Amino acid sequence: MQQACDELAAPILEWCAEHAIKIACAESLTGGLLADAFVRIPGASQVFLGSAVTYDIRAKASVLHVDPVLLQESGAVDPRVARQMARLTAQLFSQPEYDGRVIGLSTTGVAGPGPDGDKPAGLVYIGVSFPTIFDNLRNTPETALRLHLQGTREIIRHRTVCCVLENLSHFTACSQDAFLY
């Protein structure tokens, strides 16, 4: 699985570097694995800004500023939380010189081995927040994808990272011909 992630991450980083795009992450169940998928690739520092590991639900509110009412009512495993985490991490890591060109990624879910309340092990949401420069390519600036993964805790965590990379890879591949500077 590690090799597959490396093979996905490398061209994403290359594409982002070519287009002056940065990447920032907010991680919960992956606990730094998504960041690791990027920093394993030589030259990642040109693109990858960092990752906020907000494993605790209160950290999502205090560090990322995810809506505490939403967290209390829905819990952390929710598509709206994933979208907010992605958008807010892009804002957290953004700098004026990046000109809003930061993709925010997020992971939140239940790695298991058992359920978390009424949410089963393997239920995961990944969030992506696209910079406004992609408005001509996307219907919405933020999206969340629901995953139903099977396997051990470690398999669910690693598969989540692969799914994030697969989806981002698909987006960068689709954007190559249509990207506007």
Side-chain angles (χ1 to χ4, degrees), residues 22-174:
K22 304 292 185 182
I23 295 174
C25 304
E27 300 184 65
S28 188
L29 82 149
T30 52
L33 290 175
L34 184 54
D36 181 65
F38 289 115
V39 300
R40 289 176 49 80
I41 308 303
S45 61
Q46 293 178 358
V47 171
F48 185 68
L49 301 175
S51 182
V53 178
T54 53
Y55 197 70
D56 180 75
I57 195 168
R58 292 173 298 274
K60 289 171 182 60
S62 66
V63 174
L64 297 174
H65 304 290
V66 172
D67 181 359
V69 174
L70 173 61
L71 290 167
Q72 184 173 357
E73 291 175 355
S74 301
V77 185
D78 184 271
R80 295 167 296 174
V81 171
R83 285 191 298 271
Q84 281 192 26
M85 287 174 66
R87 177 176 30 86
L88 294 167
T89 198
Q91 292 171 3
L92 178 67
F93 283 94
S94 189
Q95 299 294 319
E97 61 267 27
Y98 303 152
D99 196 28
R101 299 168 76 96
V102 178
I103 295 173
L105 304 172
S106 70
T107 64
T108 187
V110 183
D116 183 4
D118 64 341
K119 297 180 177 153
L123 174 60
V124 175
Y125 291 97
I126 58 176
V128 182
S129 175
F130 296 99
T132 56
I133 58 167
F134 293 123
D135 284 353
N136 60 326
L137 304 175
R138 303 271 323 150
N139 293 334
T140 60
E142 302 168 0
T143 190
L145 179 64
R146 180 182 179 133
L147 307 174
H148 295 280
L149 303 174
Q150 300 290 319
T152 66
R153 180 176 177 80
E154 285 307 302
I155 288 172
I156 289 170
R157 293 176 68 232
H158 284 279
R159 188 67 192 128
T160 297
V161 171
C162 284
C163 287
V164 171
L165 295 173
E166 287 167 357
N167 280 279
L168 192 54
S169 178
H170 176 71
F171 173 77
T172 59
C174 290

